[in-house]
Amino acid sequence: MIYGLLFLNIICLVTGQLLWKTAVSDITEWNAQSALSVLFSPYFLGGAFLYVAATALWLVILSKLPLSIAYPSQSLSYVIGAVLALIIFKEAVSPAQWTGMALILLGVVFIAK
C-alpha cells in the first residue's frame, strides 16, 4: 500500500514536470506578458495541482516509511522523467545519461532492500 502511494507520488511529480515543460515550450522570450501567460496556462495550473497532491501524498508516505528509504526512492522520478522527455518531447538522451539512470535504478534497488 505505502509503496503504491510512493509510486503515485512519483507519477504526480513527473506529470507535473511534463505539464510545466509543455506550459513553457512556446516561450521564446521571458517578460511580464509571457510569465503571466504561463501562470494562467492550464498546463501550469495542472502541474501546480499535481505538486500539491504530491505533497499531500508525501506527508502520508513520511508518516509510514523511513525518510532514508522514501526520499532516495523519489529519484525514480528522474529516470521516468528522462524517458518520458525522450518519448514526448523527442529530447536526446546521451549514453552518459542512460548510465546515470541505470545507476539511479540500482541505487533504489539497494536502498529498498
Side-chain angles (χ1 to χ4, degrees):
M1 169 70 176
I2 195 63
Y3 287 100
L5 289 179
L6 180 59
F7 184 71
L8 183 58
N9 169 266
I10 291 166
I11 295 304
C12 285
L13 294 172
V14 171
T15 305
Q17 288 295 321
L18 294 172
L19 289 171
W20 284 347
K21 173 69 174 174
T22 301
V24 300
S25 64
D26 292 333
I27 303 294
T28 56
E29 182 180 331
W30 281 96
N31 54 43
Q33 182 179 357
S34 62
L36 284 173
S37 173
V38 167
L39 286 176
F40 292 104
S41 158
Y43 295 113
F44 177 81
L45 295 172
F49 173 80
L50 287 172
Y51 261 69
V52 170
T55 300
L57 287 169
W58 186 241
L59 294 174
V60 173
I61 292 162
L62 287 179
S63 74
K64 306 290 183 195
L65 277 179
L67 182 63
S68 61
I69 292 174
Y71 195 51
S73 296
Q74 272 193 332
S75 64
L76 290 173
S77 66
Y78 306 144
V79 176
I80 296 168
V83 170
L84 289 176
L86 170 71
I87 295 167
I88 295 169
F89 301 115
K90 309 298 185 223
E91 293 183 5
V93 179
S94 71
Q97 288 172 300
W98 285 115
T99 302
M101 288 185 273
L103 290 172
I104 289 170
L105 292 172
L106 185 62
V108 170
V109 167
F110 281 119
I111 287 167
K113 285 191 172 207

